[in-house]
Amino acid sequence: MIVLDSSDYLYFEAAGDGTLVRDLGTSTGSAKVQAYNGRARICLMKNGGSSVVVVRSQGLGTAFVTIEK
């Protein structure tokens, strides 16, 4: 379900070969991102391998996404 007026914070982590782009202070270069129009974006450097990206937010279940090389 998409909630277009959501502005909750989402927290991202990555495990595996990839590296989460973080600490840039931009909407796609942070590990903590505030939703806009019910969505959030991040950037993952795949580094030629596979990774699992985790996203969590207060009041929502944790989600895992596998990124293949």
Side-chain angles (χ1 to χ4, degrees):
M1 173 191 330
I2 297 175
V3 182
L4 295 178
D5 63 349
S6 175
S7 60
D8 294 341
Y9 281 94
L10 296 107
Y11 301 86
F12 294 90
E13 298 177 41
D17 298 316
T19 305
L20 184 64
V21 176
R22 56 190 316 149
D23 301 327
L24 297 179
T26 64
S27 61
T28 58
S30 298
K32 176 184 174 184
V33 179
Q34 188 173 17
Y36 58 94
N37 294 330
R39 300 170 188 239
R41 291 179 60 176
I42 60 164
C43 185
L44 176 77
M45 303 298 291
K46 296 193 318 184
N47 298 328
S50 300
S51 299
V52 175
V53 176
V54 180
V55 61
R56 61 185 173 79
S57 182
Q58 185 174 359
L60 299 175
T62 301
F64 299 86
V65 178
T66 301
I67 309 295
E68 300 293 335
K69 63 178 186 173

